[in-house]
Amino acid sequence: DPRLITEVSMAVAKAAMESGVARKQITDWDAYSAHLKNIMGQESKLTQQLYETARRNPQRVVFAEGIHPTMLKAAVEARNEGICHPILLGNDEMIAKKAAELELSLEGIEIINLRHDREAPRRERFAQILAEKRARQGYTFEEANDKMFERNYFGMMMVETGEADAFITGVYTKYSNTIKVAKEVVGIKPGYEHFATMHILNSKKGTFFIGDTLINRHPVVDVARLMEGAVRVFNHEPVMAMASYSNFGSDTVGSPAEVHEAVRILQEEDPSRLIDGEMQINIALDKELRDPKYPFTRLRGKDVNTLVFPNLSSANMASKLIQYMSPDVEVIGPLQIGLNKPIHFTDFESSVRDILTITAVAAIDAIVSKRKCTENCL
């Protein structure tokens, strides 16, 4: 268990100080723990910032697949780290048995057996809300009530009704199903026709944001708008390049032409927006190469940190390739952008650490959403 690196080391240090053997006194144990995790490669500075931000205001996060060992471990670790107040969905007896097998304490973690008879009133209440919301799309109460026996519908309705703040799913569920449920239950933000996902690549050369890595095949205009706002949430100024195999109109058909048109729309929509393209990846990331050759670019003198790919295939393959070929690059994601509520996805290959990081992002998403709601209401 990699947590022993910090727990045992800190225990030894404390014992050495108490016995008088230690020549150096440690006063900030949180900083010491962060230092140990950093040198062991367990947490980067970015990850530590995400965890610290989430800890300041822990949110109620629902974990859809409570019986899955990886998600169960992540929920327990999230509680231990103070990142959130976890809520597990699933059969309580089976979850308790699995936790015992894994030697995990469930103290302080709420478990909801959504299919139990005692949850019938809540299922019916959720069903009534969803049926009324989607009545014009042919939903009936009976159909909606049946859907409340499914983890994703029930969990997302908890967030929709304010009974939870964020939702994590994906280690069992296909993306296509999760996307469909998210659109039905919480919906897409006003002003957008799509929602998207992005990955964060944290490397020695800097932090980069890429998308859309999971949801949309082609609608790059909405993806660029969504990523622009999301990058600001992570305290970065979005400097955006629209990626292609073509540079600034050198190919006038197919994908480059579509990206070229998207750039025109986005630049006309907001003349101050730092976005340009279409351009090849090396041109986008190397300003010494880009600026002399294309001095007219709106990104002149700027370091690009946001890459909007022309389609889902290229973005998804780029993120997977980097993750596989560059173990030194920390890959965080997929991170959902553009839904009305904090609904976030994992996948079957996610590690405990992957889910823990997405949980921190989901909690921050909930904090930011509440703050925006408060500001808009004043």
Side-chain angles (χ1 to χ4, degrees):
D1 188 335
R3 289 172 297 176
L4 295 178
I5 295 297
T6 55
E7 293 181 12
V8 173
S9 298
M10 290 172 65
V12 171
K14 288 177 181 178
M17 288 171 58
E18 290 170 359
S19 66
V21 174
R23 289 178 294 177
K24 181 178 180 179
Q25 300 297 306
I26 298 171
T27 56
D28 190 339
W29 290 100
D30 289 337
Y32 181 58
S33 175
H35 171 68
L36 290 172
K37 291 176 181 177
N38 192 34
I39 62 176
M40 291 302 298
Q42 292 179 32
E43 289 182 11
S44 67
K45 186 176 181 180
L46 174 61
T47 306
Q48 291 169 16
Q49 290 172 343
L50 294 175
Y51 291 177
E52 282 301 319
T53 303
R55 286 189 192 104
R56 292 189 196 114
N57 187 4
Q59 302 292 296
R60 300 164 298 170
V61 178
V62 179
F63 294 81
E65 298 101 342
I67 192 63
H68 192 283
T70 305
M71 187 163 277
L72 181 56
K73 290 177 183 178
V76 170
E77 183 64 12
R79 177 208 58 194
N80 294 343
E81 292 278 352
I83 291 172
C84 72
H85 302 299
I87 302 171
L88 296 173
L89 295 185
N91 184 293
D92 45 351
E93 294 181 0
M94 293 179 64
I95 290 175
K97 182 179 178 181
K98 178 62 67 175
E101 292 173 0
L102 298 172
E103 298 183 347
L104 299 172
S105 169
L106 296 176
E107 184 179 355
I109 296 179
E110 182 180 359
I111 301 173
I112 298 177
N113 188 345
L114 68 154
R115 294 170 184 161
H116 196 279
D117 288 347
R118 63 175 170 266
E119 291 296 332
R122 179 152 45 177
R123 288 196 302 269
E124 292 174 4
R125 176 164 52 84
F126 286 172
Q128 188 63 46
I129 294 169
L130 182 61
E132 291 175 0
K133 182 178 181 179
R134 309 295 297 182
R136 290 291 180 178
Q137 285 75 44
Y139 259 70
T140 63
F141 170 79
E142 290 75 16
E143 181 184 7
N145 197 32
D146 284 343
K147 292 184 182 299
M148 291 309 137
F149 286 89
E150 299 179 28
R151 292 184 296 264
N152 285 338
Y153 276 100
F154 187 94
M156 290 188 200
M157 281 301 301
M158 288 186 68
V159 179
E160 174 69 6
T161 58
E163 296 182 25
D165 303 306
F167 180 71
I168 308 289
T169 187
V171 290
Y172 284 140
T173 314
K174 290 182 178 180
Y175 287 130
S176 56
N177 175 264
T178 307
I179 292 166
K180 174 179 177 290
V181 178
K183 287 180 178 178
E184 290 180 5
V185 176
V186 302
I188 297 169
K189 288 182 178 179
Y192 297 96
E193 295 181 9
H194 310 87
F195 76 100
T197 58
M198 70 177 188
H199 277 72
I200 302 176
L201 309 179
N202 194 32
S203 72
K204 293 179 180 178
K205 292 187 176 182
T207 301
F208 300 91
F209 305 84
I210 68 172
D212 175 10
T213 53
L214 188 65
I215 307 295
N216 301 288
R217 289 185 173 86
H218 296 294
V220 291
V221 172
D222 256 8
V223 172
R225 290 173 181 146
L226 288 167
M227 290 186 68
E228 181 180 32
V231 170
R232 287 199 173 97
V233 170
F234 289 94
N235 294 319
H236 285 70
E237 178 190 33
V239 182
M240 310 172 69
M242 303 287 277
S244 179
Y245 63 81
S246 168
N247 289 313
F248 299 101
S250 60
D251 195 336
T252 57
V253 296
S255 171
E258 294 172 1
V259 176
H260 195 84
E261 176 62 13
V263 171
R264 184 193 65 78
I265 293 170
L266 290 162
Q267 288 184 340
E268 288 185 358
E269 183 179 85
D270 184 357
S272 66
R273 180 177 276 149
L274 290 174
I275 189 168
D276 217 331
E278 78 286 5
M279 66 181 85
Q280 296 173 357
I281 294 294
N282 60 324
I283 297 294
L285 297 179
D286 188 349
K287 65 183 176 184
E288 303 299 329
L289 179 65
R290 177 190 69 228
D291 291 357
K293 191 172 182 65
Y294 304 104
F296 56 82
T297 176
R298 192 177 283 196
L299 306 182
R300 184 177 177 85
K302 296 285 187 178
D303 291 314
V304 166
N305 60 12
T306 306
L307 295 167
V308 183
F309 283 77
N311 52 53
L312 175 59
S313 294
S314 56
N316 184 274
M317 287 188 285
S319 67
K320 297 289 186 182
L321 182 63
I322 292 170
Q323 193 165 7
Y324 183 78
M325 299 293 289
S326 305
D328 292 337
V329 177
E330 180 185 30
V331 180
I332 300 173
L335 308 178
Q336 174 275 126
I337 49 178
L339 289 173
N340 282 317
K341 297 292 175 67
I343 307 297
H344 288 268
F345 314 128
T346 62
D347 57 37
F348 73 94
E349 60 188 16
S350 293
S351 66
V352 172
R353 185 173 180 274
D354 292 334
I355 298 176
L356 193 63
T357 304
I358 291 175
T359 301
V361 172
I364 295 169
D365 190 4
I367 294 168
V368 172
S369 298
K370 289 179 180 180
R371 187 178 302 158
K372 287 181 178 179
C373 178
T374 302
E375 290 172 354
N376 292 335
C377 293
L378 293 178

mmCIF file with all atom_site columns, all heavy atoms in Angstrom, residues 212 216-217 311-318:
data_model
loop_
_atom_site.group_PDB
_atom_site.id
_atom_site.type_symbol
_atom_site.label_atom_id
_atom_site.label_alt_id
_atom_site.label_comp_id
_atom_site.label_asym_id
_atom_site.label_entity_id
_atom_site.label_seq_id
_atom_site.pdbx_PDB_ins_code
_atom_site.Cartn_x
_atom_site.Cartn_y
_atom_site.Cartn_z
_atom_site.occupancy
_atom_site.B_iso_or_equiv
_atom_site.pdbx_formal_charge
_atom_site.auth_seq_id
_atom_site.auth_comp_id
_atom_site.auth_asym_id
_atom_site.auth_atom_id
_atom_site.pdbx_PDB_model_num
ATOM 1  N N   . ASP A 1 212 ? -11.946 17.359 -27.385 1.00 0.00 ? 212 ASP A N   1
ATOM 2  C CA  . ASP A 1 212 ? -12.811 16.558 -26.542 1.00 0.00 ? 212 ASP A CA  1
ATOM 3  C C   . ASP A 1 212 ? -12.353 15.109 -26.649 1.00 0.00 ? 212 ASP A C   1
ATOM 4  O O   . ASP A 1 212 ? -12.256 14.566 -27.736 1.00 0.00 ? 212 ASP A O   1
ATOM 5  C CB  . ASP A 1 212 ? -14.244 16.750 -26.993 1.00 0.00 ? 212 ASP A CB  1
ATOM 6  C CG  . ASP A 1 212 ? -15.250 15.865 -26.278 1.00 0.00 ? 212 ASP A CG  1
ATOM 7  O OD1 . ASP A 1 212 ? -14.893 15.220 -25.291 1.00 0.00 ? 212 ASP A OD1 1
ATOM 8  O OD2 . ASP A 1 212 ? -16.403 15.830 -26.707 1.00 0.00 ? 212 ASP A OD2 1
ATOM 9  N N   . ASN A 1 216 ? -17.885 13.992 -28.044 1.00 0.00 ? 216 ASN A N   1
ATOM 10 C CA  . ASN A 1 216 ? -18.368 14.489 -29.334 1.00 0.00 ? 216 ASN A CA  1
ATOM 11 C C   . ASN A 1 216 ? -17.439 14.126 -30.491 1.00 0.00 ? 216 ASN A C   1
ATOM 12 O O   . ASN A 1 216 ? -16.225 14.241 -30.382 1.00 0.00 ? 216 ASN A O   1
ATOM 13 C CB  . ASN A 1 216 ? -18.507 16.016 -29.278 1.00 0.00 ? 216 ASN A CB  1
ATOM 14 C CG  . ASN A 1 216 ? -19.463 16.450 -28.196 1.00 0.00 ? 216 ASN A CG  1
ATOM 15 O OD1 . ASN A 1 216 ? -20.667 16.277 -28.309 1.00 0.00 ? 216 ASN A OD1 1
ATOM 16 N ND2 . ASN A 1 216 ? -18.927 17.024 -27.121 1.00 0.00 ? 216 ASN A ND2 1
ATOM 17 N N   . ARG A 1 217 ? -18.025 13.769 -31.596 1.00 0.00 ? 217 ARG A N   1
ATOM 18 C CA  . ARG A 1 217 ? -17.226 13.410 -32.755 1.00 0.00 ? 217 ARG A CA  1
ATOM 19 C C   . ARG A 1 217 ? -16.649 14.637 -33.459 1.00 0.00 ? 217 ARG A C   1
ATOM 20 O O   . ARG A 1 217 ? -15.505 14.635 -33.879 1.00 0.00 ? 217 ARG A O   1
ATOM 21 C CB  . ARG A 1 217 ? -18.072 12.609 -33.748 1.00 0.00 ? 217 ARG A CB  1
ATOM 22 C CG  . ARG A 1 217 ? -18.413 11.198 -33.256 1.00 0.00 ? 217 ARG A CG  1
ATOM 23 C CD  . ARG A 1 217 ? -19.156 10.408 -34.317 1.00 0.00 ? 217 ARG A CD  1
ATOM 24 N NE  . ARG A 1 217 ? -19.346 9.022  -33.929 1.00 0.00 ? 217 ARG A NE  1
ATOM 25 C CZ  . ARG A 1 217 ? -20.358 8.584  -33.198 1.00 0.00 ? 217 ARG A CZ  1
ATOM 26 N NH1 . ARG A 1 217 ? -21.284 9.432  -32.781 1.00 0.00 ? 217 ARG A NH1 1
ATOM 27 N NH2 . ARG A 1 217 ? -20.464 7.308  -32.886 1.00 0.00 ? 217 ARG A NH2 1
ATOM 28 N N   . ASN A 1 311 ? -11.538 16.298 -33.871 1.00 0.00 ? 311 ASN A N   1
ATOM 29 C CA  . ASN A 1 311 ? -12.575 15.282 -33.695 1.00 0.00 ? 311 ASN A CA  1
ATOM 30 C C   . ASN A 1 311 ? -12.238 14.402 -32.501 1.00 0.00 ? 311 ASN A C   1
ATOM 31 O O   . ASN A 1 311 ? -11.138 14.464 -31.944 1.00 0.00 ? 311 ASN A O   1
ATOM 32 C CB  . ASN A 1 311 ? -12.737 14.432 -34.966 1.00 0.00 ? 311 ASN A CB  1
ATOM 33 C CG  . ASN A 1 311 ? -11.406 13.875 -35.449 1.00 0.00 ? 311 ASN A CG  1
ATOM 34 O OD1 . ASN A 1 311 ? -10.682 13.237 -34.693 1.00 0.00 ? 311 ASN A OD1 1
ATOM 35 N ND2 . ASN A 1 311 ? -11.077 14.136 -36.706 1.00 0.00 ? 311 ASN A ND2 1
ATOM 36 N N   . LEU A 1 312 ? -13.207 13.593 -32.142 1.00 0.00 ? 312 LEU A N   1
ATOM 37 C CA  . LEU A 1 312 ? -13.065 12.720 -30.979 1.00 0.00 ? 312 LEU A CA  1
ATOM 38 C C   . LEU A 1 312 ? -11.932 11.713 -31.161 1.00 0.00 ? 312 LEU A C   1
ATOM 39 O O   . LEU A 1 312 ? -11.172 11.447 -30.220 1.00 0.00 ? 312 LEU A O   1
ATOM 40 C CB  . LEU A 1 312 ? -14.399 11.985 -30.735 1.00 0.00 ? 312 LEU A CB  1
ATOM 41 C CG  . LEU A 1 312 ? -14.431 10.929 -29.637 1.00 0.00 ? 312 LEU A CG  1
ATOM 42 C CD1 . LEU A 1 312 ? -14.074 11.519 -28.297 1.00 0.00 ? 312 LEU A CD1 1
ATOM 43 C CD2 . LEU A 1 312 ? -15.809 10.276 -29.588 1.00 0.00 ? 312 LEU A CD2 1
ATOM 44 N N   . SER A 1 313 ? -11.803 11.160 -32.346 1.00 0.00 ? 313 SER A N   1
ATOM 45 C CA  . SER A 1 313 ? -10.780 10.137 -32.590 1.00 0.00 ? 313 SER A CA  1
ATOM 46 C C   . SER A 1 313 ? -9.390  10.656 -32.280 1.00 0.00 ? 313 SER A C   1
ATOM 47 O O   . SER A 1 313 ? -8.615  10.018 -31.563 1.00 0.00 ? 313 SER A O   1
ATOM 48 C CB  . SER A 1 313 ? -10.845 9.657  -34.050 1.00 0.00 ? 313 SER A CB  1
ATOM 49 O OG  . SER A 1 313 ? -12.045 8.984  -34.313 1.00 0.00 ? 313 SER A OG  1
ATOM 50 N N   . SER A 1 314 ? -9.043  11.817 -32.818 1.00 0.00 ? 314 SER A N   1
ATOM 51 C CA  . SER A 1 314 ? -7.689  12.336 -32.638 1.00 0.00 ? 314 SER A CA  1
ATOM 52 C C   . SER A 1 314 ? -7.415  12.701 -31.188 1.00 0.00 ? 314 SER A C   1
ATOM 53 O O   . SER A 1 314 ? -6.333  12.421 -30.659 1.00 0.00 ? 314 SER A O   1
ATOM 54 C CB  . SER A 1 314 ? -7.459  13.547 -33.549 1.00 0.00 ? 314 SER A CB  1
ATOM 55 O OG  . SER A 1 314 ? -8.425  14.556 -33.325 1.00 0.00 ? 314 SER A OG  1
ATOM 56 N N   . ALA A 1 315 ? -8.383  13.317 -30.510 1.00 0.00 ? 315 ALA A N   1
ATOM 57 C CA  . ALA A 1 315 ? -8.181  13.706 -29.113 1.00 0.00 ? 315 ALA A CA  1
ATOM 58 C C   . ALA A 1 315 ? -8.049  12.490 -28.213 1.00 0.00 ? 315 ALA A C   1
ATOM 59 O O   . ALA A 1 315 ? -7.174  12.428 -27.341 1.00 0.00 ? 315 ALA A O   1
ATOM 60 C CB  . ALA A 1 315 ? -9.338  14.583 -28.642 1.00 0.00 ? 315 ALA A CB  1
ATOM 61 N N   . ASN A 1 316 ? -8.910  11.503 -28.419 1.00 0.00 ? 316 ASN A N   1
ATOM 62 C CA  . ASN A 1 316 ? -8.882  10.307 -27.585 1.00 0.00 ? 316 ASN A CA  1
ATOM 63 C C   . ASN A 1 316 ? -7.584  9.537  -27.789 1.00 0.00 ? 316 ASN A C   1
ATOM 64 O O   . ASN A 1 316 ? -6.934  9.108  -26.823 1.00 0.00 ? 316 ASN A O   1
ATOM 65 C CB  . ASN A 1 316 ? -10.088 9.429  -27.910 1.00 0.00 ? 316 ASN A CB  1
ATOM 66 C CG  . ASN A 1 316 ? -10.178 8.207  -27.013 1.00 0.00 ? 316 ASN A CG  1
ATOM 67 O OD1 . ASN A 1 316 ? -9.574  7.185  -27.303 1.00 0.00 ? 316 ASN A OD1 1
ATOM 68 N ND2 . ASN A 1 316 ? -10.925 8.312  -25.939 1.00 0.00 ? 316 ASN A ND2 1
ATOM 69 N N   . MET A 1 317 ? -7.190  9.372  -29.049 1.00 0.00 ? 317 MET A N   1
ATOM 70 C CA  . MET A 1 317 ? -5.955  8.622  -29.323 1.00 0.00 ? 317 MET A CA  1
ATOM 71 C C   . MET A 1 317 ? -4.722  9.359  -28.807 1.00 0.00 ? 317 MET A C   1
ATOM 72 O O   . MET A 1 317 ? -3.783  8.734  -28.309 1.00 0.00 ? 317 MET A O   1
ATOM 73 C CB  . MET A 1 317 ? -5.844  8.343  -30.824 1.00 0.00 ? 317 MET A CB  1
ATOM 74 C CG  . MET A 1 317 ? -6.819  7.269  -31.305 1.00 0.00 ? 317 MET A CG  1
ATOM 75 S SD  . MET A 1 317 ? -6.544  6.754  -33.012 1.00 0.00 ? 317 MET A SD  1
ATOM 76 C CE  . MET A 1 317 ? -7.208  8.159  -33.909 1.00 0.00 ? 317 MET A CE  1
ATOM 77 N N   . ALA A 1 318 ? -4.721  10.680 -28.913 1.00 0.00 ? 318 ALA A N   1
ATOM 78 C CA  . ALA A 1 318 ? -3.584  11.458 -28.410 1.00 0.00 ? 318 ALA A CA  1
ATOM 79 C C   . ALA A 1 318 ? -3.423  11.276 -26.905 1.00 0.00 ? 318 ALA A C   1
ATOM 80 O O   . ALA A 1 318 ? -2.314  11.056 -26.404 1.00 0.00 ? 318 ALA A O   1
ATOM 81 C CB  . ALA A 1 318 ? -3.759  12.934 -28.753 1.00 0.00 ? 318 ALA A CB  1
#
